Amino acid sequence: MLSFKTYLAEEVNAHMQHIQNLILYKGVKGTRQAIESLRDLRDTLAGSATTKIDVTMKWDGAPAIFFGQVPKGEEDAGKFFVAKKGIFAKTPKYYTTNAEIDADISSPDLNLKMRIALAELPKLKPKGIFQGDMMYSADDLKKQNIEGNSYITFHPNTILYAVPSDSKLAKKISGSKMGIVLHTEYKGDTFDSLSASFKIDARQFTQTKSVWFDDANVKDLSGSASMTKKETAIVTKKLSDAGKLFRKVSSSTLKQIETIPNLAQTIETYANSFVRVGATSLDPKKHVEGLIVYINNKYQKEIDKLKSEKGKDRKSAARDDFMKFFSESNKKQLIDLFTLQNLLSEVKLIIIGKLNQINNMDTFLKTRTGFEVTGHEGFVAIDHLKGNAFKLVDQLSFSHANFSDDILKGWDSPTR
């Protein structure tokens, strides 16, 4: 289990990486983890797994809610509480009464949701502290016709979730006051000593009509998401090519990327600039060339903002020091590294495509002209034996939609 402080740092810093970015942030070890974990996922979906990997679904809910009993080592020990991410603070902020919520939360929508959570979540009789994503309160539910089908829908963030209106699930949701998907459990005697576990079984909670809840676990991995022999062969070939390329990449180059301050983050930020505009990156050689131009331009903008010559000289020296990494040798290594990232991303997308087939809800993006079918926000793969956890997200699809003004978000509704 992760310590609470470590977990919170990972949450705040988005430290749970996209699998292809393990190469940037964890060097040789991370690259090996990425390849081995994708192999294990391939084997799981092909029905031949020898290593157990759990997969959880990333639900696009809001707000994130922590709830349970205040730990026994705290002043309010035993009281039921709800909290936002203010629980991450040095002095954790949580709410045990409506008066505390009113004193701290001025947003009407968020205030109402926290009040509902405080009233309804105790009915689940949680034993411990849990975290989940709130999917809706009753006022958010709508009956909508989409592509000729009648649905009960809720739209907390970017993804609109739709449940066939004649289904048992729609009846359950329609009769509830809130919905929540649970994904993390904490144990410990004080807030700052809690340990986090990503494995939750919703069956431990007491059923109540007023709360629809589920855990985030992806069930039936070797059933409806099974890979065909052809798909397995394609993935195997890509992973084999990735392994060969990995052996070509210099460990010293990977070590530099891992340890030079802000280098991995800069490389990732440049790649994300393509995601924001819904474009794929250039080929690896052009990607390296573009990255160098991007870094130089970034430093130049910072230099131009400075007024003193001494300040400009210091920033210029910092740029020159940072750019020492981009030797001819390292530029060649980066071409192989970005090619390796592309291979891992291609395998990731095949696996995401299979995982998206495990679905009890339809998912859409709401545009200004109608609805577009989409997959889930993504998945988290957890290898408990090896201690690995990483994100599987179709960044070009979901991340672009998240940034795009053309995709209407749940908060764009006039009632929110």
Side-chain angles (χ1 to χ4, degrees), residues 41-76:
L41 277 169
R42 173 204 62 190
D43 293 344
T44 297
L45 295 177
S48 59
T50 57
T51 301
K52 173 65 174 176
I53 286 189
D54 290 319
V55 179
T56 63
M57 186 181 296
K58 289 173 64 65
W59 289 73
D60 190 31
I65 292 182
F66 298 78
F67 67 96
Q69 288 77 34
V70 175
K72 63 182 181 181
E74 301 288 346
E75 182 179 352
D76 293 323

Side-chain angles (χ1 to χ4, degrees), residues 100-374:
E100 291 172 348
I101 293 173
D102 292 343
D104 188 58
I105 303 176
S106 58
S107 164
D109 183 63
L110 181 56
N111 182 292
L112 177 61
K113 281 181 165 50
M114 296 304 290
R115 277 171 159 263
I116 292 171
L118 183 61
E120 299 301 328
L121 292 178
K123 298 176 183 178
L124 275 57
K125 298 182 179 178
K127 296 178 181 179
I129 296 175
F130 299 88
Q131 181 183 353
D133 293 313
M134 192 166 181
M135 304 306 297
Y136 62 84
S137 56
D139 289 345
D140 299 324
L141 298 176
K142 296 179 180 179
K143 189 169 184 178
Q144 291 183 278
N145 189 287
I146 302 175
E147 298 180 348
N149 298 307
S150 177
Y151 290 103
I152 299 298
T153 69
F154 46 95
H155 192 186
N157 263 325
T158 300
I159 294 175
L160 182 142
Y161 294 90
V163 183
S165 57
D166 59 354
S167 66
K168 290 182 179 179
L169 180 57
K171 183 177 180 180
K172 185 176 181 68
I173 288 173
S174 297
S176 67
K177 296 181 180 179
M178 67 169 287
I180 188 169
V181 175
L182 307 161
H183 56 73
T184 309
E185 179 179 5
Y186 302 94
K187 293 182 179 179
D189 292 340
T190 60
F191 279 117
D192 65 0
S193 68
L194 294 177
S195 295
S197 170
F198 300 109
K199 184 71 172 178
I200 291 183
D201 187 342
R203 291 175 296 182
Q204 68 183 283
F205 300 101
T206 300
Q207 291 288 334
T208 173
K209 291 182 179 179
S210 62
V211 181
W212 171 76
F213 63 91
D214 199 357
D215 56 52
N217 301 324
V218 176
K219 291 95 172 170
D220 193 28
L221 279 175
S222 59
S224 56
S226 294
M227 290 175 60
T228 65
K229 288 184 178 180
K230 182 177 180 180
E231 289 167 336
T232 303
I234 292 171
V235 168
T236 299
K237 175 64 166 58
K238 291 183 182 295
L239 289 175
S240 176
D241 290 343
K244 293 174 183 176
L245 203 51
F246 177 34
R247 289 190 287 273
K248 285 179 59 181
V249 176
S250 167
S251 59
S252 64
T253 300
L254 289 171
K255 184 67 174 178
Q256 289 177 72
I257 296 171
E258 184 185 3
T259 56
I260 293 175
N262 300 321
L263 180 53
Q265 182 64 59
T266 299
I267 294 172
E268 182 183 7
T269 300
Y270 176 64
N272 285 343
S273 67
F274 293 93
V275 173
R276 286 177 178 270
V277 296
T280 55
S281 178
L282 305 173
D283 67 74
K285 183 177 180 180
K286 291 183 178 179
H287 194 75
V288 174
E289 295 169 353
L291 173 63
I292 292 171
V293 172
Y294 167 80
I295 294 171
N296 276 312
N297 287 343
K298 183 174 180 290
Y299 269 102
Q300 192 59 52
K301 288 179 182 178
E302 294 173 358
I303 291 168
D304 292 342
K305 290 179 182 178
L306 298 172
K307 295 181 180 179
S308 73
E309 288 303 316
K310 285 186 177 181
K312 290 178 182 289
D313 289 343
R314 280 195 297 269
K315 183 61 69 174
S316 295
R319 175 199 59 201
D320 295 343
D321 186 58
F322 194 81
M323 295 305 297
K324 287 178 182 177
F325 168 79
F326 294 92
S327 64
E328 288 303 314
S329 174
N330 275 345
K331 284 193 283 187
K332 291 178 182 178
Q333 291 292 315
L334 281 175
I335 293 172
D336 285 341
L337 187 150
F338 292 148
T339 303
L340 176 55
Q341 280 194 307
N342 288 343
L343 283 168
L344 297 184
S345 294
E346 289 167 9
V347 171
K348 176 187 73 172
L349 290 177
I350 293 172
I351 289 172
I352 289 172
K354 302 306 294 186
L355 293 175
N356 272 326
Q357 294 178 15
I358 305 174
N359 192 12
N360 63 348
M361 286 190 192
D362 292 334
T363 49
F364 298 92
L365 298 175
K366 185 177 181 181
T367 73
R368 301 184 188 282
T369 57
F371 296 91
E372 295 179 3
V373 175
T374 189

